[in-house]
Amino acid sequence: METNTVTTTNQQIDLLVKKKSGFKDFFRKLSRSWTGMLGFSLIILLLLLSVFGGLIAPFDPMDAPLRERLLPPLTDGHILGTDQLGRDILSRIIAGTKVSVIIGLATALLAGLIGTVVGVIAGYFRGWIDVVLMRIVDVQLSFPFILLVLVISAVLGAGLTNIVISLALAGWVVFARVIRSEVLAIREKEFITAAIATGVPKFEILFRHILPNIFTPIIILVSLQMGTYIIAEASVSFLGFGVQPPTPAWGNMLNEGKDYIFSSWWLITFPGIAIIITTLGVNLFGDWLRDTLDPELKGE
Amino acid sequence: MTESSLIEVKNLKKYYEISQGLFKPKLVVKAVDDVSFSIKRGETFALVGESGCGKSTTGKTLLRLTDATSGEVRFKGEDILSLPYEKMRSLRKEMQMVFQDPYASLNPKMTIRQILLEPLRVHKKYSPEERMKKIVDILEIVGLSRSHLDRHPNEFSGGQRQRIGIARAVVLNPDFIIADEPVSALDVSVQSQVINLMLELQKEFGLTYLFISHDLSVVEHMTDRVAVMYLGKIVELADTEELFANPKHPYTQALISAVPVSHPKDVKERIVLKGDVPNPANPPSGCTFHTRCPFVMDKCKSVEPSLTEIGNGHITSCHLYSKNKEENINAIIYS
């Protein structure tokens, strides 16, 4: 009888422990930090806008009634005004969200993939391959990031896919560096020695013991780098190498608006604010993620 | 005698090279310097010494967790230091290890089920159903239950984790287990539980232990023979009872005098050594212990003493007992 009671209590405790993990735990932790909450809300807003933006936008972002050009904000239903071709700025910003989110996310994932593979190979196998890969990383890190993106996209040509590829080719080195050092730290842990002593084959050690333990830093880095890539895309588009007009992107809206900066301030101000809010949201969330999932604090 | 020894170590050396800079010669640290001993099937052999004396390195080198500089390790007659990777990996099912820090030696991302199944899986032992039965059995033997299977290591106490570590080592039915300070990270109250568990397992599975420790009271309680190490060398080797009753080497005498007595009214003469352990990168000439030895003679500063048998398998390297004989390595190995 007594053993029975004990078992039930154990099961109840198990249930309690289980309930805390997953989504509920995520929101419980998120609600403790207002910056994390703000970042998370901004990211959700961005995602919603990029998916359902077409339904919310008051005007067609490509429709250019020239008679309504350069209208100031809050005239004729144009909340943020119109640009030099009469296109509604709010609708164009909403349409640009999609470009920024797709480019930020796709680049972070692609660069993360390349960088993780390189970092893991260098950190786990060491030896000459580590030396070779890390010198490549060193050389690439000595180039200014934007310059490198421009060079690669000049070779590849414009277009959404090519921007993602050139940003990823310029950005993977950051991942490679961080992931390599994570792998170096993990492979010295005693449980890796224990796995070798058990007789676990080399590749299984890599996939079952090392990769699961560097998953957290990968996630953190992907979210932090996303902000960088969104800014970089805007910069490249501003310079005319990125998303080509008339497709609306925040970067090329800035580019087109810069000629009217003294007469019509709204052309350049609102896309700029959109970039700031987006990067701020992504970075706040990334910071919170890092603080929460930091491997040093894990398991406490 | 040789037939009954499970593992034989001959002239094992592990040197680390420390780079001093581009144009300076490399410093050589002799972590394990010419160590020889053999462990009989079914016995518990202890390696003792203060931290940094090379006892853990010796253990890790035996399992090829670090590469030896030179020497021979024969396990069941086979020299394992020269085995190719895949053969060595397969041999590991017969020789396992229990680690010092139960907080670091279990993968935090794995459940107990995964941790215990892994050895069976990688060595393709039993069918999947039999594996489950086996790990539940072993979990109960070490005092945990099947309800713990899906938990992660961080949900357990240090003592429980060490039981899991022991279960992982024993689940493959190995012949030989190296226990590298298995209880030094645990509370004293838990230490005895874990030690008794290890002794029970030894009886049940016929295990042979290499027990690495700096805790002499634990060593006295559970081992059959002891080797005392100082600066990478074995300075004395004897049966446990003999060693504690009749220590010969001045270093062993000092170590044993430092074991706390169990009754406050018992008075014991304490030999306090002067100074610290010398830097292993720059060991003293002659006998490496001469800088701290209370009986130091002129000879000790220049001539390195060799291991000499002084009867009954009791071996020591000290000029106080040397019979001016040639180095008799066989006496050590076949003792």
Side-chain angles (χ1 to χ4, degrees):
Chain A
M1 203 40 211
E2 263 196 71
T3 25
N4 268 340
T5 355
V6 173
T7 333
T8 1
T9 344
N10 266 345
Q11 277 166 355
Q12 280 165 347
I13 292 170
D14 275 354
L15 275 175
L16 283 175
V17 172
K18 286 230 170 76
K19 258 187 185 169
K20 272 190 177 173
S21 62
F23 277 109
K24 273 205 169 162
D25 190 39
F26 174 78
F27 284 111
R28 191 174 53 84
K29 283 180 179 158
L30 189 62
S31 63
R32 282 194 205 144
S33 147
W34 70 269
T35 47
M37 201 67 193
L38 179 65
F40 183 71
S41 318
L42 286 173
I43 287 177
I44 293 294
L45 179 74
L46 281 175
L47 288 176
L48 288 177
L49 276 182
S50 62
V51 177
F52 301 109
L55 303 173
I56 307 167
F59 294 90
D60 180 355
M62 309 290 267
D63 188 28
L66 276 173
R67 265 178 299 152
E68 295 171 24
R69 63 194 298 269
L70 296 175
L71 288 180
L74 299 172
T75 35
D76 297 345
H78 298 287
I79 300 173
L80 301 181
T82 58
D83 68 3
Q84 75 284 2
L85 297 175
R87 298 173 298 193
D88 181 55
I89 289 182
L90 179 62
S91 305
R92 285 181 68 76
I93 286 177
I94 290 173
T97 313
K98 199 184 214 159
V99 174
S100 288
V101 168
I102 288 175
I103 287 179
L105 204 63
T107 310
L109 291 178
L110 185 61
L113 185 71
I114 303 172
T116 302
V117 170
V118 171
V120 164
I121 290 173
Y124 186 58
F125 294 104
R126 305 297 310 272
W128 63 269
I129 193 152
D130 180 27
V131 176
V132 171
L133 289 173
M134 282 307 112
R135 290 305 79 78
I136 294 174
V137 168
D138 283 344
V139 170
Q140 188 165 331
L141 277 174
S142 62
F143 282 98
F145 178 64
I146 287 295
L147 188 67
L148 202 61
V149 177
L150 288 181
V151 170
I152 300 172
S153 52
V155 174
L156 293 174
L160 207 66
T161 328
N162 285 344
I163 298 166
V164 171
I165 292 173
S166 39
L167 282 172
L169 285 181
W172 65 272
V173 284
V174 177
F175 285 89
R177 256 288 150 78
V178 176
I179 298 304
R180 174 178 173 271
S181 67
E182 290 289 333
V183 171
L184 284 182
I186 296 288
R187 74 196 289 270
E188 297 304 322
K189 291 269 166 73
E190 204 162 48
F191 64 81
I192 301 296
T193 317
I196 299 171
T198 303
V200 183
K202 274 180 194 162
F203 277 92
E204 268 199 67
I205 291 180
L206 182 58
F207 286 108
R208 285 180 179 269
H209 293 274
I210 292 186
L211 282 184
N213 281 292
I214 58 166
F215 191 66
T216 310
I218 295 177
I219 294 289
I220 294 167
L221 208 56
V222 162
S223 67
L224 283 175
Q225 285 298 102
M226 247 180 83
T228 314
Y229 297 140
I230 289 173
I231 291 191
E233 179 271 322
S235 317
V236 174
S237 296
F238 175 77
L239 294 169
F241 283 85
V243 180
Q244 296 300 310
T247 312
W250 300 339
N252 63 29
M253 287 171 76
L254 288 180
N255 183 22
E256 289 170 5
K258 72 176 188 301
D259 299 335
Y260 304 88
I261 189 163
F262 295 111
S263 53
S264 313
W265 54 270
W266 55 93
L267 259 60
I268 198 161
T269 307
F270 295 117
I273 290 174
I275 293 171
I276 292 171
I277 290 176
T278 307
T279 359
L280 186 70
V282 172
N283 283 343
L284 283 179
F285 183 68
D287 280 345
W288 171 79
L289 211 57
R290 188 194 52 208
D291 294 345
T292 314
L293 302 179
D294 191 270
E296 296 301 321
L297 301 171
K298 260 251 145 166
E300 296 291 334
Chain B
M1 288 291 263
T2 17
E3 286 75 44
S4 65
S5 64
L6 181 70
I7 193 155
E8 281 175 27
V9 180
K10 277 188 207 167
N11 307 104
L12 187 71
K13 290 177 187 168
K14 173 68 189 176
Y15 294 172
Y16 290 101
E17 287 185 343
I18 301 173
S19 183
Q20 292 274 87
L22 210 51
F23 300 108
K24 288 178 189 159
K26 280 180 180 166
L27 257 187
V28 176
V29 177
K30 298 178 175 177
V32 178
D33 193 12
D34 209 355
V35 161
S36 303
F37 58 89
S38 74
I39 304 174
K40 296 181 199 124
R41 202 176 271 276
E43 83 172 338
T44 303
F45 187 91
L47 272 182
V48 300
E50 53 203 304
S51 45
C53 72
K55 53 192 195 301
S56 285
T57 312
T58 307
K60 289 204 166 122
T61 318
L62 290 196
L63 290 186
R64 279 183 60 180
L65 297 174
T66 55
D67 291 321
T69 308
S70 72
E72 228 176 79
V73 176
R74 292 194 170 272
F75 180 73
K76 293 180 177 172
E78 194 172 15
D79 185 9
I80 59 170
L81 292 187
S82 55
L83 279 183
Y85 170 78
E86 196 49 41
K87 264 199 157 169
M88 183 63 211
R89 193 181 75 72
S90 169
L91 192 68
R92 290 188 188 283
K93 60 178 172 283
E94 295 171 35
M95 42 203 313
Q96 286 289 310
M97 183 150 181
V98 175
F99 291 86
Q100 176 175 11
D101 182 359
Y103 292 89
S105 61
L106 302 173
N107 186 338
K109 301 280 173 184
M110 285 169 105
T111 61
I112 304 312
R113 182 199 304 270
Q114 291 169 320
I115 288 171
L116 292 182
L117 277 177
E118 182 163 62
L120 297 174
R121 185 173 44 78
V122 298
H123 290 293
K124 301 189 175 63
K125 271 197 160 185
Y126 315 118
S127 69
E129 297 79 38
E130 283 172 325
R131 284 179 197 162
M132 270 317 292
K133 203 182 150 314
K134 180 90 185 162
I135 69 165
V136 170
D137 284 351
I138 204 84
L139 210 54
E140 275 162 13
I141 290 173
V142 301
L144 296 165
S145 75
R146 79 168 61 220
S147 68
H148 294 118
L149 275 175
D150 290 312
R151 301 208 188 158
H152 290 269
N154 63 359
E155 295 172 56
F156 294 93
S157 67
Q160 286 175 315
R161 288 186 199 205
Q162 198 56 301
R163 288 156 189 274
I164 295 163
I166 290 170
R168 170 175 63 187
V170 175
V171 73
L172 282 165
N173 262 337
D175 296 309
F176 178 52
I177 289 183
I178 293 184
D180 185 1
E181 309 236 18
V183 294
S184 67
L186 305 176
D187 283 350
V188 178
S189 58
V190 185
Q191 282 189 358
S192 62
Q193 291 174 15
V194 170
I195 286 166
N196 288 335
L197 170 67
M198 288 183 69
L199 290 173
E200 277 165 38
L201 290 170
Q202 183 170 37
K203 265 185 218 150
E204 196 163 335
F205 297 103
L207 298 169
T208 307
Y209 284 135
L210 172 61
F211 192 85
I212 298 167
S213 181
H214 61 248
D215 188 339
L216 287 173
S217 47
V218 172
V219 167
E220 188 175 12
H221 172 66
M222 75 173 286
T223 66
D224 302 315
R225 282 197 302 150
V226 186
V228 181
M229 284 184 79
Y230 184 76
L231 277 183
K233 288 183 176 147
I234 290 182
V235 295
E236 185 159 9
L237 194 161
D239 288 348
T240 306
E241 272 181 44
E242 161 78 8
L243 187 99
F244 279 88
N246 194 13
K248 292 293 183 198
H249 197 284
Y251 180 60
T252 316
Q253 290 170 354
L255 275 187
I256 289 173
S257 83
V259 178
V261 286
S262 50
H263 194 279
K265 281 189 179 158
D266 286 353
V267 185
K268 200 157 100 176
E269 212 171 308
R270 175 93 156 77
I271 306 167
V272 180
L273 292 177
K274 281 171 283 180
D276 284 326
V277 187
N279 181 1
N282 185 19
S285 60
C287 173
T288 48
F289 187 58
H290 85 250
T291 51
R292 303 169 78 191
C293 184
F295 308 109
V296 62
M297 304 177 286
D298 280 348
K299 192 182 177 188
C300 302
K301 292 173 183 163
S302 50
V303 185
E304 196 184 330
S306 57
L307 282 163
T308 325
E309 175 156 8
I310 50 171
N312 235 349
H314 193 149
I315 298 161
T316 186
S317 71
C318 179
H319 288 307
L320 290 173
Y321 310 99
S322 63
K323 299 169 188 165
N324 292 327
K325 263 203 229 163
E326 287 180 346
E327 194 167 346
N328 188 357
I329 214 87
N330 286 338
I332 311 146
I333 297 163
Y334 302 131
S335 62

